[in-house]
Amino acid sequence: MKNVSIQFANDQQPKYLQLFNSIKEKISQGEMKPGERLPAIRSLASQLGVNTSTVVNAYKQLESNSYITAKKGSGYFVSNTKSGKQDTHFSSDLGLFKDTSVINFASATPHPSIFPIESFKACINDVLERDKGFAFGYDESNGYRPLRQSILKYFNREYSISVEDESFLQIVSGAQQGIDIIGKVLLNPGDYVVTETPTYDGAVAAFKSRGARVVSVNMDKDGMDMEELEKKVRICKPKLIYIMSRYQNPTTVCYSQEKLKELLLLAKENNLYIVEDDSMSELCFEKEKSTPLKTLDTGNEYVIYLKSFSKILMPGLRVGCMVMPYQLLSDFTNIKHTSDISSSGLIQRSLDLYFRSEKWDEHLQYMKEIYRGRFEFMLNSLENISKYGFKFQKPGGGLYFWVKLPRYLSAKLFYQKCKSNGLVFIPSGIFYDNMHKNSDDYIRLSFASAGIDQIREGMAILEKCFQNMNQDV
Ligand SMILES: Cc1ncc(COP(=O)(O)O)c(C=O)c1O
């Protein structure tokens, strides 16, 4: 049994909440281990010089948040369920995200009702008319050349990414395949990879499937904590660093230019690659659009730039793209060939026509307008109920809000409460790999799949649940 020591602050927060937070922290940090017995109520109360009711209330709060379990006649014990491993319980809820009777703030891909079906159908028909059976043959493993040219033109125009020609582009069947191929080409079992924390769980899973060891670095408001990163790079000598430079998933953070420059310098000094996953930069709601790290990598040496079209077009196309350093080209194309020979020729050709037409720009404008409306509506709704004590950093773009719950709330339990009231979102555990002190503190609220009416309904449920949980405290 650990001695629980606490310095009560002389602030507005009740003592039982301060005690609750202090013990919660010890459990989250691993200072108090699963199965460990907590001090008896009377002895802790007298040790801390507080009423027994203070300890009783703190223990009740810990119990209702699943941090501890009461065993009749024996006292309170640290639960086994709050292990810091990635949340897997959540996968059983994936069906719920498609259930139309449930308000969906979980999904981060656009709703099929805003997919550009008619204009894309016209491109498919044009390809069939033009290419006939050739549209159904195997395409080159590095991708259909005209498509690579049109994507490069777009990258040049929008982000000043200036590689010499389309040979530096590799088409992949979605960014997820890109991450998987990066792992296969660059990682051997035991190699270290650095990721942000919290981060996209699909990337962590792909790196781990190669036997890599994933080391995580905390996020600040303008990108990774550089001091922590430098220290971990020095100690672990990673092969690569995986980042999302704009509207990071899930924190919505954008890197400052200073941090991007520091990152590139770090890559040069330590001869490592940076994988820049840039899936949402088009959905920018600010006047000033930031540039990706790849733009700074003028020699095309250190940054593998990865683009998904799932958030800004349609996920089921299963087409993404990588821009990469010369020395990696042939290995990447070989592994792509081993994975699935080539991405769908029909879809690549249709996408090429789509990018070359004015339809692509029109669609981007349309998506931005729709999402700006939803973004502002959710922002106002959150601000209107801010009295419940949650916090968030206003995103400059993207598809979600990353909300820090008041200290007395567990994200997992709050999720269960909202789910039983007909609202789903993503609680933070899924984005953290190891036992992390914040892994149960945040929720990600996405407006990708919910229209204004559903956002209104969902926010009302959220408010009701905040109210109920507040009363329970
Ligand atoms: C950050 C990030 N990268 C990559 C992917 C995978 O994208 P794709 O559908 O292009 O495979 C996702 C999907 O959610 C994502 O959030």
Side-chain angles (χ1 to χ4, degrees):
M1 194 194 311
K2 280 257 159 40
N3 226 351
V4 175
S5 57
I6 170 171
Q7 282 300 53
F8 287 110
N10 207 2
D11 64 12
Q12 312 239 304
Q13 201 174 43
K15 283 190 175 152
Y16 84 91
L17 262 189
Q18 294 186 47
L19 182 58
F20 161 75
N21 283 321
S22 160
I23 299 176
K24 173 186 154 186
E25 200 77 355
K26 285 187 170 42
I27 295 172
S28 303
Q29 299 282 357
E31 269 180 58
M32 294 178 84
K33 304 265 178 304
E36 188 174 325
R37 187 163 183 261
L38 274 83
I41 291 172
R42 263 178 213 292
S43 75
L44 184 58
S46 88
Q47 179 207 320
L48 300 176
V50 295
N51 290 330
T52 48
S53 62
T54 304
V55 180
V56 169
N57 285 339
Y59 279 12
K60 264 199 203 155
Q61 197 57 32
L62 286 162
E63 194 187 8
S64 70
N65 280 276
S66 304
Y67 285 99
I68 64 173
T69 316
K71 284 192 190 151
K72 226 174 168 189
S74 335
Y76 287 91
F77 296 81
V78 178
S79 318
N80 294 317
T81 49
K82 280 261 165 186
S83 88
K85 299 207 182 75
Q86 213 153 14
D87 273 343
T88 46
H89 73 283
F90 200 66
S91 52
S92 61
D93 283 354
L94 291 180
L96 269 182
F97 304 164
K98 298 203 169 122
D99 180 344
T100 47
S101 66
V102 174
I103 305 289
N104 183 352
F105 288 175
S107 169
T109 46
H111 192 270
S113 60
I114 58 173
F115 291 167
I117 300 303
E118 286 311 313
S119 47
F120 204 79
K121 187 162 96 184
C123 294
I124 294 179
N125 287 338
D126 287 349
V127 167
L128 290 175
E129 201 54 45
R130 185 192 67 190
D131 298 348
K132 310 272 183 315
F134 292 101
F136 293 105
Y138 286 125
D139 255 304
E140 297 156 74
S141 289
N142 52 347
Y144 180 59
R145 191 156 168 248
L147 173 65
R148 286 184 283 128
Q149 285 168 337
S150 47
I151 293 178
L152 186 56
K153 202 164 149 202
Y154 170 68
F155 286 165
N156 274 330
R157 185 190 83 190
E158 286 298 309
Y159 305 129
S160 314
I161 291 177
S162 55
V163 289
E164 275 158 47
D165 58 49
E166 73 283 354
S167 63
F168 295 91
L169 264 72
Q170 168 73 56
I171 298 293
V172 280
S173 302
Q176 186 63 33
Q177 187 187 49
I179 299 170
D180 193 52
I181 293 178
I182 290 168
K184 285 178 175 153
V185 172
L186 294 178
L187 299 174
N188 290 313
D191 282 345
Y192 282 97
V193 171
V194 172
T195 67
E196 299 148 333
T197 187
T199 189
Y200 169 53
D201 58 320
V204 173
F207 297 139
K208 285 196 169 166
S209 75
R210 298 297 304 150
R213 289 181 277 195
V214 176
V215 174
S216 45
V217 171
N218 286 294
M219 289 294 280
D220 287 336
K221 287 190 170 138
D222 60 347
M224 272 199 253
D225 175 337
M226 293 306 287
E227 221 173 282
E228 189 186 336
L229 174 65
E230 278 164 24
K231 192 167 147 204
K232 289 187 168 163
V233 165
R234 209 171 38 245
I235 295 169
C236 304
K237 308 206 177 332
K239 284 273 177 65
L240 60 93
I241 302 175
Y242 170 80
I243 65 160
M244 287 163 271
S245 53
R246 299 186 284 179
Y247 316 128
Q248 199 258 5
N249 182 9
T251 62
T252 72
V253 160
C254 277
Y255 278 64
S256 63
Q257 282 298 299
E258 293 71 45
K259 281 213 168 158
L260 291 182
K261 283 180 194 154
E262 284 177 55
L263 261 174
L264 196 59
L265 193 62
L266 194 73
K268 279 183 192 169
E269 285 170 356
N270 293 277
N271 200 25
L272 52 83
Y273 290 109
I274 298 179
V275 177
E276 181 179 32
D277 187 346
D278 191 24
S279 59
M280 265 186 305
S281 46
E282 280 73 9
L283 298 172
C284 163
F285 307 133
E286 296 170 308
K287 280 202 194 96
E288 286 281 306
K289 204 173 185 180
S290 57
T291 43
L293 177 62
K294 186 69 196 167
T295 308
L296 303 178
D297 184 26
T298 46
N300 189 25
E301 289 171 282
Y302 300 101
V303 180
I304 303 169
Y305 179 76
L306 186 61
K307 186 85 195 162
S308 166
F309 295 109
S310 294
K311 315 277 193 232
I312 49 173
L313 194 51
M314 300 184 272
L317 294 175
R318 304 313 302 137
V319 174
C321 159
M322 290 195 279
V323 184
M324 65 194 144
Y326 174 77
Q327 66 273 20
L328 298 177
L329 288 172
S330 63
D331 283 348
F332 272 65
T333 306
N334 288 340
I335 297 290
K336 165 71 181 167
H337 189 269
T338 316
S339 287
D340 64 352
I341 303 181
S342 71
S343 298
S344 157
L346 173 64
I347 296 298
Q348 288 190 70
R349 285 156 197 254
S350 308
L351 194 55
D352 174 46
L353 286 193
Y354 189 75
F355 282 143
R356 286 170 195 269
S357 74
E358 73 284 5
K359 302 280 183 229
W360 166 233
D361 285 332
E362 281 172 19
H363 179 67
L364 281 182
Q365 272 317 106
Y366 168 72
M367 293 272 282
K368 256 177 93 163
E369 263 158 48
I370 288 201
Y371 283 127
R372 188 194 297 278
R374 294 180 186 184
F375 166 76
E376 280 165 7
F377 192 81
M378 197 177 253
L379 175 65
N380 288 337
S381 314
L382 280 170
E383 282 169 351
N384 285 341
I385 59 167
S386 63
K387 64 177 178 200
Y388 293 105
F390 56 81
K391 296 200 171 67
F392 62 93
Q393 187 182 336
K394 182 181 161 193
L399 290 170
Y400 25 75
F401 288 83
W402 181 238
V403 177
K404 185 163 202 269
L405 295 173
R407 286 178 77 189
Y408 61 87
L409 271 187
S410 141
K412 234 184 243 178
L413 285 190
F414 191 57
Y415 171 72
Q416 293 302 339
K417 177 94 181 168
C418 291
K419 187 174 84 169
S420 61
N421 281 276
L423 169 70
V424 290
F425 47 75
I426 312 252
S428 45
I430 200 160
F431 302 107
Y432 289 92
D433 190 38
N434 297 314
M435 183 64 132
H436 189 284
K437 65 180 169 49
N438 293 130
S439 67
D440 199 27
D441 293 349
Y442 287 82
I443 55 175
R444 193 191 75 178
L445 303 178
S446 164
F447 47 89
S449 272
I452 298 282
D453 286 345
Q454 288 155 325
I455 297 177
R456 184 182 294 111
E457 233 181 290
M459 294 308 292
I461 298 174
L462 204 71
E463 173 165 22
K464 185 171 115 191
C465 294
F466 271 126
Q467 234 162 29
N468 290 347
M469 301 288 271
N470 208 19
Q471 277 157 10
D472 290 349
V473 176

